[in-house]
């Protein structure tokens, strides 16, 4: 009898232990990577789960695919025949026009044209003309290596920093990618009035530091390379400041400058919906009430040259993220830089090119999850707006961070590809 009771108690204990570990693993897996606490045990379980998924792919009988996607390969044969990379924008323009003339539905570039072509401005003009003439079919790329792991309230600084550093050209009013992110009272505040003077002061600080480093008196004394460096450092330091904003390291809100910047905060937070006593209490309430966002966030972005960005209707990102064990298994369907609707969310290159090619729209809904201080992606639907009523083509099987588990078609070159030289 005692043995049966001991066995029964041990079974309950084991069941509860498994249930508890399963729940902890579920929370870990569904918490955005930027907000996870390091846990070697849970990360080990995640790696085991991912490796099991790898085993399933390797055991699968690959039979190819009939998806209507072709990769244009800048391969060795193309380099030998056409010439060394990078190619002139004149050639890129010709290749793109030939693709459109051949009847492609969309062209997505995982190459960034971030600098003007030296000594041949006419080449840029030719490419800009092609993008302008076929903006309904061309998707340009953007890239960032600056993932930000910051408290949720600093999203407001990143939003303004992104716009200040050219984000309005990276994210345009895009009718094919619609994000409905439930907003709160702080989203309505005039943050621009606060951050414009802070960023201007930060730029002045950065300029003085760079000039001192080069031993120059004024920006006009810098070489072209040094001026490019200064511009890059100004953008970088804005996002560096956002990671200090309203922390003990915020030199615009320390005891020496607080009296100067306090009126800016008073003006922005002069709203009954967000005020909470004195300014210190108001800011503390603000910092503690912003839910964490599920989508990974990036700061400084590398876009294309301004004439190209201006001519383009669609810009998307081809950032990739690795799993904890260093493998690529998941593909983000969109990214963000801040938290403002219409100016912070960037679709992935694959998603945007697919939407353009098919004439579809992606509808994403994000909202706070219960009492947890975190937002959740509630749905990710692909819509065919040409139907009456609109038809839901599919519900995307994404994870908690908006990533899609990659369904590998097979080994390298499983997708059809064309050597770029064949397009001339």
């Amino acid at each position: 009898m005692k043995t049966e009771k001991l066995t029964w108690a041990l079974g309950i204990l084991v069941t509860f232990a498994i249930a508890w570990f399963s729940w902890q693993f579920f929370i870990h897996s569904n918490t955005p990577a930027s907000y996870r606490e390091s846990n070697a045990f849970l990360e080990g379980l995640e790696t085991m789960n991912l490796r099991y998924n790898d085993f399933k792919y390797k055991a699968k009988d690959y039979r190819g695919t009939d998806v209507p996607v072709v990769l244009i390969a800048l391969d060795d044969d193309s380099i030998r025949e056409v010439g060394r990379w990078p190619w002139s924008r004149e050639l890129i323009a010709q290749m793109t026009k030939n693709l459109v003339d051949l009847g492609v539905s969309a062209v997505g570039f995982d190459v960034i044209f971030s600098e003007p072509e030296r000594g041949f401005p006419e080449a840029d003009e030719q490419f800009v003309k092609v993008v302008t003439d076929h903006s309904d079919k061309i998707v340009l790329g953007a890239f960032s290596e600056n993932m930000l792991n910051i408290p949720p309230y600093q999203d407001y600084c990143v939003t303004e920093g992104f716009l200040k550093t050219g984000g309005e050209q990276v994210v345009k009013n895009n009718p094919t990618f619609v994000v409905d992110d439930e907003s709160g009272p702080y989203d309505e505040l005039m943050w621009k009035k606060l951050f414009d003077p802070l960023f201007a002061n930060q730029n002045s600080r950065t300029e003085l530091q760079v000039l001192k480093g080069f031993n120059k008196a004024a920006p006009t004394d810098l070489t072209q390379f040094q001026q490019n460096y200064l511009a890059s450092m100004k953008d970088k330091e804005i996002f560096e400041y956002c990671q200090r904003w309203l922390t003990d390291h915020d030199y615009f809100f320390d005891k020496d400058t607080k009296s100067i910047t306090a009126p800016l905060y008073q003006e922005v937070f002069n709203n009954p919906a967000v005020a909470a006593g004195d300014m210190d209490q108001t800011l503390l309430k603000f910092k503690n009430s912003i839910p964490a966002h599920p989508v990974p966030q990036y700061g400084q972005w590398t876009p294309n040259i301004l004439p190209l960005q201006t001519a383009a209707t669609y810009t998307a990102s081809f950032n990739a993220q690795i799993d904890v064990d260093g493998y690529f298994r998941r593909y983000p369907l969109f990214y963000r830089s801040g938290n403002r609707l219409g100016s912070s969310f960037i679709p992935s290159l694959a998603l945007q090119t697919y939407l353009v090619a098919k004439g579809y729209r992606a509808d994403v809904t994000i909202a706070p999850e219960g009492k947890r201080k975190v937002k959740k992606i509630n749905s990710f639907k692909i819509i065919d707006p040409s139907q009456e009523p609109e038809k839901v083509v599919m519900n995307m099987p994404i994870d908690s961070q908006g990533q899609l588990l990659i369904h590998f078609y097979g080994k390298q070159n499983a997708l059809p590809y064309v050597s770029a030289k064949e397009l001339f």
Side-chain angles (χ1 to χ4, degrees), residues 207-411:
E207 184 174 293
L208 288 174
Q209 291 174 354
V210 171
L211 290 175
K212 182 179 179 180
F214 287 126
N215 196 26
K216 302 291 184 181
T220 53
D221 299 329
L222 300 175
T223 67
Q224 185 61 56
F225 291 112
Q226 291 170 339
Q227 290 179 14
N228 291 342
Y229 173 76
L230 172 59
S232 176
M233 288 300 296
K234 283 183 176 180
D235 290 352
K236 179 181 178 182
E237 288 301 321
I238 281 179
F239 292 105
E240 290 287 338
Y241 170 70
C242 285
Q243 297 176 73
R244 295 190 294 268
W245 181 52
L246 293 183
T247 69
D248 294 338
H249 305 288
D250 183 355
Y251 38 67
F252 293 142
F253 205 69
D254 59 21
K255 62 180 181 180
D256 296 324
T257 59
K258 194 172 183 179
S259 60
I260 301 174
T261 58
L264 296 174
Y265 285 91
Q266 292 285 356
E267 183 177 7
V268 171
F269 283 90
N270 185 24
N271 186 314
V274 301
D278 61 24
M279 183 51 58
D280 287 339
Q281 290 178 315
T282 296
L283 291 177
L284 182 61
K285 174 188 174 184
F286 161 66
K287 293 169 67 173
N288 291 332
S289 60
I290 307 302
H293 205 285
V295 179
Q297 173 168 234
Y298 293 81
Q300 187 177 8
W301 287 78
T302 301
N304 299 278
I305 58 174
L306 186 58
L308 271 179
Q309 288 290 160
T310 303
T313 299
Y314 306 108
T315 302
S317 175
F318 49 87
N319 281 23
Q321 297 176 20
I322 60 174
D323 286 321
V324 291
D325 57 350
Y327 286 85
F328 290 97
R329 297 184 184 88
R330 287 174 279 204
Y331 182 74
L333 290 186
F334 67 116
Y335 315 80
R336 69 185 180 99
S337 195
N339 60 358
R340 182 175 301 166
L341 295 181
S343 61
S344 289
F345 296 97
I346 307 166
S348 70
L349 185 67
L351 173 67
Q352 185 63 79
T353 308
Y354 167 72
L355 296 174
V356 171
K358 302 293 287 186
Y360 292 160
R361 183 182 77 244
D363 282 357
V364 186
T365 59
I366 304 173
E369 183 183 15
K371 296 182 179 180
R372 296 179 65 196
K373 287 188 176 181
V374 64
K375 288 186 174 182
K376 178 183 178 182
I377 303 175
N378 289 328
S379 67
F380 197 123
K381 297 179 180 179
I382 303 297
I383 308 291
D384 184 355
S386 67
Q387 303 288 325
E388 186 59 44
E390 294 184 338
K391 177 183 176 182
V392 177
V393 177
M394 70 180 85
N395 288 287
M396 301 297 284
I398 56 172
D399 65 10
S400 60
Q401 301 175 67
Q403 299 178 120
L404 193 69
L405 187 64
I406 299 172
H407 186 120
F408 288 98
Y409 288 122
K411 297 181 179 179

